[in-house]
Coordinates of all heavy atoms in Angstrom, one line a residue:
Chain B
P151 N 83.6 77.3 115.0 CA 84.4 76.9 116.1 C 85.9 77.2 115.9 O 86.4 77.1 114.7 CB 84.2 75.3 116.1 CG 82.9 75.1 115.4 CD 82.8 76.2 114.4
N152 N 86.6 77.7 116.9 CA 88.0 78.0 116.8 C 88.3 79.1 115.8 O 89.4 79.2 115.3 CB 88.9 76.8 116.5 CG 88.5 75.6 117.4 OD1 88.4 75.7 118.6 ND2 88.2 74.5 116.7
M153 N 87.3 79.9 115.4 CA 87.5 80.9 114.4 C 88.7 81.8 114.6 O 89.4 82.1 113.7 CB 86.2 81.7 114.3 CG 86.1 82.6 113.2 SD 84.4 83.3 113.2 CE 84.8 84.9 113.8
N154 N 88.8 82.2 115.9 CA 89.9 83.2 116.2 C 91.3 82.5 116.2 O 92.3 83.2 116.3 CB 89.6 83.8 117.6 CG 88.4 84.7 117.6 OD1 88.0 85.2 116.6 ND2 87.8 84.8 118.8
D155 N 91.3 81.2 116.0 CA 92.6 80.5 116.0 C 93.2 80.6 114.6 O 94.4 80.2 114.4 CB 92.5 79.1 116.4 CG 92.3 78.9 117.9 OD1 92.2 80.0 118.6 OD2 92.1 77.8 118.4
A156 N 92.5 81.0 113.6 CA 93.0 81.0 112.2 C 94.2 81.9 112.2 O 94.2 83.1 112.7 CB 91.9 81.5 111.3
P157 N 95.3 81.4 111.6 CA 96.6 82.2 111.7 C 96.4 83.6 111.1 O 97.0 84.6 111.6 CB 97.5 81.4 110.8 CG 97.0 80.0 110.9 CD 95.5 80.1 111.0
Q158 N 95.6 83.8 110.0 CA 95.5 85.1 109.4 C 94.8 86.1 110.4 O 95.2 87.2 110.6 CB 94.6 85.0 108.2 CG 94.5 86.2 107.4 CD 93.6 86.1 106.2 OE1 92.4 86.0 106.3 NE2 94.2 86.1 105.0
L159 N 93.7 85.6 111.1 CA 93.0 86.5 112.0 C 93.9 86.8 113.2 O 93.9 87.9 113.7 CB 91.7 85.8 112.4 CG 90.7 86.7 113.1 CD1 90.5 88.0 112.4 CD2 89.4 86.0 113.4
R160 N 94.6 85.8 113.7 CA 95.5 85.9 114.8 C 96.6 87.0 114.6 O 97.1 87.6 115.5 CB 96.1 84.6 115.2 CG 96.5 84.5 116.7 CD 96.8 83.1 117.1 NE 97.7 83.0 118.3 CZ 97.2 82.9 119.5 NH1 96.0 82.9 119.8 NH2 98.1 82.8 120.5
E161 N 96.9 87.2 113.3 CA 97.8 88.3 112.9 C 97.3 89.7 113.2 O 98.0 90.6 113.5 CB 98.2 88.2 111.5 CG 99.2 87.1 111.1 CD 100.6 87.3 111.8 OE1 101.1 88.5 111.8 OE2 101.1 86.4 112.4
S162 N 96.0 89.8 113.2 CA 95.4 91.1 113.4 C 94.8 91.3 114.8 O 94.1 92.3 115.1 CB 94.3 91.4 112.3 OG 94.9 91.6 111.1
T163 N 95.0 90.3 115.6 CA 94.4 90.3 117.0 C 95.5 90.1 118.0 O 96.6 89.8 117.6 CB 93.2 89.3 117.2 OG1 93.8 88.0 116.9 CG2 92.1 89.6 116.2
C164 N 95.1 90.1 119.3 CA 96.1 89.9 120.4 C 95.5 88.9 121.4 O 95.6 89.2 122.6 CB 96.4 91.2 121.0 SG 97.0 92.5 119.9
D165 N 94.9 87.9 120.9 CA 94.2 86.9 121.7 C 95.2 86.3 122.8 O 96.3 85.9 122.5 CB 93.7 85.8 120.8 CG 92.6 85.0 121.5 OD1 92.7 84.7 122.7 OD2 91.6 84.7 120.8
P166 N 94.7 86.4 124.1 CA 95.6 85.8 125.2 C 95.8 84.3 125.1 O 96.6 83.8 125.8 CB 94.8 86.2 126.4 CG 93.8 87.2 126.1 CD 93.5 87.0 124.6
K167 N 95.0 83.6 124.3 CA 95.1 82.1 124.2 C 96.5 81.7 123.9 O 97.1 82.1 123.0 CB 94.1 81.6 123.1 CG 94.0 80.1 123.1 CD 93.0 79.7 122.1 CE 92.9 78.2 122.0 NZ 91.8 77.8 121.0
F168 N 97.0 80.8 124.8 CA 98.4 80.3 124.7 C 99.5 81.3 124.9 O 100.6 81.1 124.5 CB 98.6 79.4 123.5 CG 97.7 78.2 123.4 CD1 97.2 77.7 122.2 CD2 97.5 77.4 124.6 CE1 96.4 76.6 122.2 CE2 96.7 76.3 124.6 CZ 96.2 75.9 123.4
R169 N 99.1 82.5 125.4 CA 100.2 83.5 125.6 C 100.4 83.7 127.0 O 99.6 83.2 127.9 CB 99.8 84.8 124.9 CG 99.8 84.7 123.4 CD 99.8 86.1 122.7 NE 100.2 86.0 121.3 CZ 99.4 86.0 120.3 NH1 98.1 86.2 120.5 NH2 99.8 85.9 119.0
R170 N 101.6 84.3 127.4 CA 101.9 84.5 128.8 C 101.8 86.0 129.1 O 102.2 86.8 128.3 CB 103.4 84.0 129.0 CG 103.4 82.5 128.9 CD 104.9 82.0 128.8 NE 105.5 82.3 127.5 CZ 106.7 81.9 127.1 NH1 107.4 81.1 127.9 NH2 107.2 82.3 126.0
V171 N 101.2 86.3 130.2 CA 100.8 87.6 130.5 C 101.5 88.1 131.8 O 101.5 87.3 132.8 CB 99.3 87.7 130.7 CG1 98.8 89.1 131.0 CG2 98.5 87.1 129.5
L172 N 102.0 89.3 131.8 CA 102.4 89.9 133.1 C 101.4 90.9 133.5 O 101.1 91.9 132.7 CB 103.8 90.6 132.9 CG 104.3 91.5 134.0 CD1 104.4 90.7 135.4 CD2 105.6 92.2 133.7
V173 N 100.9 90.8 134.7 CA 100.0 91.8 135.3 C 100.8 92.5 136.4 O 101.3 91.9 137.4 CB 98.8 91.1 136.0 CG1 97.8 92.1 136.6 CG2 98.0 90.3 134.9
T174 N 101.1 93.8 136.1 CA 102.1 94.4 136.9 C 101.8 94.6 138.4 O 102.6 94.5 139.2 CB 102.5 95.8 136.3 OG1 101.4 96.6 136.2 CG2 103.1 95.6 134.9
D175 N 100.5 94.9 138.6 CA 100.1 94.9 140.0 C 99.0 93.8 140.2 O 97.9 94.1 139.9 CB 99.5 96.3 140.5 CG 99.1 96.2 141.9 OD1 99.2 95.1 142.6 OD2 98.6 97.3 142.4
G176 N 99.4 92.6 140.6 CA 98.5 91.5 140.6 C 97.7 91.4 141.9 O 96.8 90.6 142.1
K177 N 98.0 92.3 142.8 CA 97.4 92.2 144.1 C 96.2 93.2 144.3 O 95.4 93.0 145.2 CB 98.4 92.6 145.2 CG 98.5 91.6 146.4 CD 99.6 91.9 147.3 CE 99.8 90.7 148.3 NZ 101.0 90.9 149.1
S178 N 96.0 94.1 143.3 CA 94.9 95.0 143.3 C 93.7 94.2 142.9 O 93.8 93.1 142.2 CB 95.1 96.2 142.4 OG 95.2 95.7 141.1
A179 N 92.5 94.7 143.2 CA 91.2 94.1 142.7 C 91.2 93.9 141.2 O 90.9 92.9 140.7 CB 90.0 94.9 143.2
T180 N 91.6 95.0 140.5 CA 91.7 94.9 139.1 C 92.7 93.9 138.6 O 92.5 93.1 137.7 CB 92.0 96.3 138.5 OG1 90.9 97.2 138.8 CG2 92.2 96.3 137.0
G181 N 93.9 93.9 139.2 CA 94.9 93.0 138.8 C 94.5 91.5 139.0 O 94.7 90.7 138.1

Side-chain angles (χ1 to χ4, degrees):
Chain B
N152 312 308
M153 192 173 100
N154 292 335
D155 289 359
Q158 186 184 72
L159 191 52
R160 204 164 157 93
E161 281 296 314
S162 291
T163 59
C164 305
D165 199 317
K167 186 172 177 181
F168 293 143
R169 289 197 165 101
R170 293 167 291 188
V171 183
L172 169 61
V173 179
T174 59
D175 179 359
K177 230 169 189 172
S178 66
T180 296

